Amino acid sequence: MKVNLMKGCLTSGEVDSYFHDVLKKIIPFLTSRMLPFLSFNLMILALSRSGSSLLADFVYVTSLYSIPVVLFSMPLALIGNFSNESNGLEGFKIFIYGIPTCIFLSLLSFFSAIFIDLYATHYTVRPVEGLSLYKYCVPMLVINTYLYIYSEGAINNKVTAKIKSVLSILSVVLVYFCYFKSDSISVDTLFSIFILIEFFTLIIFSLMIFKYSKSYFFDLEFKRFFSECVRFLKLGYPLSLGMIGQKLIFFLLTYRLMGVSDTLVSHLSIVMVVIGFFSIPIASYAQIHSIYISSKSKVTPVIFNFGLMIIFLFSMLFFIIILIGGDFIFSFFDSKYGSNSILFFISLFFLFLSTSVVQFIIGHLRSLRDTKIPQITVNVVMFFIFLPMCYLVDLHVDDLCLVIFMQSAALFFAAIFLYKRLVSLEGFRVRG
């Protein structure tokens, strides 16, 4: 029965087209996300070997400034969906009409970063290295989000991936050149390299977009500058607030676990890094899926069902990898928690699966221009179900599996609500 269903699904023309699109884009999308992740962690490794206080300063500063970056860049990330709703000239028009919004949000992010710098400098108990320097990186991170997502989704994802790869490698080379030159590296030096790389990113992607779009000519409609701004903000800010809500949830969770044991917090952080690394293919696939749905006038639910099947198969692959090499993977972090514990690996599987399903459904809803309800749903479930469980349950230092299972259960609960939301939309049955 399952084999016949699979065969019928795979031989349908709609799924063939979808599967071809995924295969064509997955490597570039994966590369442009995987290499920055690896390069970032390699830079952290160099910093950690230079002194624990430097690493603490780095984590503090980047966490602090992540608020304006997330708040003002997430609306701009929708350019990937908007520009693919109408390919070619019309997609480029949307990009052009969105530029004033991009500049406006980048300026707001810079003013917010200045305020954070003044506030943190005044109230921090000790001087923090890099606090005043990193604010110059914030507006470029916002602008580059807009340029990168548009280049990847509407111009050439392979060229975009190559550019991201070269810049990621260049950043690691510069960091380790400075590190080996003096057997250490300062936070200021690291942030200076960040600023340099983001500047290169801005220039290169701007030139790339100009090269690929210079044949497009059209008369500007000044009313569309305002209408596109409203569309970016209306659909984008639920994403921003949702991301900030997730950061607050993680902070409150960390605060609760620190009351139990610093070791428990450390183990959970390591788990999140591992899950984050293996989730990069899921994030890449969810973005490809979302852009594909946005680019089609009619999409039936078979595509969504096929996507869920891919999510489940990749989650099973993750489970097999963790079962076979979990001890080796966690040994990189000098962690022996859950060594040879099948319960620990099962908890990781459920966390990975629940996170992936939620991410995939949110991506599909985003393609249907539904961003507010999904973010509210996830944050409400995590705030009012997961966090109360963590605070009411009597946790101990060895209860990491329990925390992971509770988080997975809450995410599955959120996924059920998101799915109900999805099937209630007319666009899910036949998008048009």
Side-chain angles (χ1 to χ4, degrees), residues 144-168:
N144 289 341
T145 297
Y146 189 68
L147 300 178
Y148 162 66
I149 296 294
Y150 175 73
S151 300
E152 182 183 58
I155 295 182
N156 191 316
N157 54 68
K158 292 182 180 179
V159 174
T160 302
K162 289 178 182 177
I163 292 172
K164 290 288 286 185
S165 301
V166 170
L167 290 171
S168 297

Side-chain angles (χ1 to χ4, degrees), residues 267 330 334-339:
H267 287 153
F330 282 93
D334 198 26
S335 173
K336 296 182 179 180
Y337 184 89
S339 180

Side-chain angles (χ1 to χ4, degrees), residues 254 256-266 395-398:
T254 303
R256 167 69 178 103
L257 298 184
M258 284 182 67
V260 179
S261 168
D262 289 345
T263 303
L264 187 57
V265 176
S266 175
L395 295 174
H396 301 90
V397 67
D398 294 324

Side-chain angles (χ1 to χ4, degrees), residues 294-314:
S294 294
S295 67
K296 300 298 179 181
S297 59
K298 292 183 179 179
V299 177
T300 57
V302 68
I303 293 297
F304 176 81
N305 298 332
F306 182 70
L308 276 184
M309 182 185 70
I310 292 178
I311 294 294
F312 181 75
L313 290 175
F314 194 85

Side-chain angles (χ1 to χ4, degrees), residues 119-401:
Y119 181 85
T121 301
H122 182 73
Y123 286 99
T124 305
V125 294
R126 67 171 178 83
V128 176
E129 188 175 344
L131 183 60
S132 296
L133 183 60
Y134 193 76
K135 66 175 179 283
Y136 299 108
C137 199
V138 170
M140 286 191 288
L141 286 168
V142 173
I143 294 173
N144 289 341
T145 297
Y146 189 68
L147 300 178
Y148 162 66
I149 296 294
Y150 175 73
S151 300
E152 182 183 58
I155 295 182
N156 191 316
N157 54 68
K158 292 182 180 179
V159 174
T160 302
K162 289 178 182 177
I163 292 172
K164 290 288 286 185
S165 301
V166 170
L167 290 171
S168 297
I169 294 170
L170 176 62
S171 63
V172 173
V173 170
L174 290 174
V175 166
Y176 276 87
F177 173 79
C178 296
Y179 173 75
F180 287 121
K181 188 177 180 181
S182 58
D183 290 329
S184 66
I185 187 169
S186 67
V187 178
D188 282 339
T189 301
L190 193 61
F191 285 161
S192 297
I193 293 171
F194 278 15
I195 293 170
L196 182 65
I197 294 298
E198 289 302 322
F199 178 74
F200 285 161
T201 303
L202 192 155
I203 297 300
I204 292 171
F205 277 122
S206 297
L207 291 174
M208 175 185 170
I209 292 170
F210 174 76
K211 176 184 176 182
Y212 280 86
S213 309
K214 61 184 179 181
S215 60
Y216 292 139
F217 296 97
F218 61 94
D219 294 326
L220 292 176
E221 303 171 41
F222 288 97
K223 288 183 179 179
R224 282 197 64 179
F225 284 112
F226 178 75
S227 63
E228 291 298 337
C229 178
V230 171
R231 187 158 72 128
F232 274 108
L233 298 181
K234 182 180 178 181
L235 295 176
Y237 263 102
L239 296 174
S240 298
L241 297 176
M243 289 291 291
I244 291 175
Q246 291 170 31
K247 289 181 178 294
L248 179 59
I249 289 167
F250 187 74
F251 169 77
L252 293 173
L253 173 62
T254 303
Y255 182 79
R256 167 69 178 103
L257 298 184
M258 284 182 67
V260 179
S261 168
D262 289 345
T263 303
L264 187 57
V265 176
S266 175
H267 287 153
L268 181 65
S269 299
I270 292 170
V271 165
M272 291 305 178
V273 170
V274 173
I275 294 293
F277 175 76
F278 283 99
S279 292
I280 293 175
I282 298 296
S284 303
Y285 171 61
Q287 178 68 1
I288 294 170
H289 176 85
S290 183
I291 291 174
Y292 180 86
I293 301 299
S294 294
S295 67
K296 300 298 179 181
S297 59
K298 292 183 179 179
V299 177
T300 57
V302 68
I303 293 297
F304 176 81
N305 298 332
F306 182 70
L308 276 184
M309 182 185 70
I310 292 178
I311 294 294
F312 181 75
L313 290 175
F314 194 85
S315 298
M316 289 302 302
L317 177 62
F318 167 77
F319 186 47
I320 293 170
I321 292 172
I322 286 294
L323 276 178
I324 296 173
D327 292 340
F328 175 74
I329 292 170
F330 282 93
S331 68
F332 275 105
F333 303 93
D334 198 26
S335 173
K336 296 182 179 180
Y337 184 89
S339 180
N340 299 317
S341 170
I342 188 67
L343 183 65
F344 176 61
F345 295 140
I346 291 174
S347 71
L348 293 181
F349 166 73
F350 279 112
L351 179 60
F352 183 85
L353 178 62
S354 59
T355 303
S356 301
V357 170
V358 167
Q359 194 171 13
F360 177 72
I361 298 177
I362 287 177
H364 196 104
L365 286 166
R366 185 171 65 248
S367 70
L368 301 178
R369 307 184 189 97
D370 187 18
T371 57
K372 184 188 297 182
I373 300 300
Q375 293 300 327
I376 292 174
T377 300
V378 173
N379 282 296
V380 165
V381 168
M382 299 305 284
F383 264 113
F384 295 103
I385 296 179
F386 173 56
L387 284 179
M389 285 194 295
C390 291
Y391 276 81
L392 293 174
V393 173
D394 185 22
L395 295 174
H396 301 90
V397 67
D398 294 324
D399 284 339
L400 179 61
C401 286

Side-chain angles (χ1 to χ4, degrees), residues 88-134:
L89 175 59
E90 186 58 33
F92 180 65
K93 282 183 180 181
I94 295 171
F95 170 78
I96 293 296
Y97 288 126
I99 287 177
T101 305
C102 175
I103 295 172
F104 174 66
L105 292 179
S106 67
L107 289 173
L108 285 181
S109 72
F110 185 54
F111 292 139
S112 300
I114 292 173
F115 174 78
I116 288 173
D117 178 27
L118 294 173
Y119 181 85
T121 301
H122 182 73
Y123 286 99
T124 305
V125 294
R126 67 171 178 83
V128 176
E129 188 175 344
L131 183 60
S132 296
L133 183 60
Y134 193 76

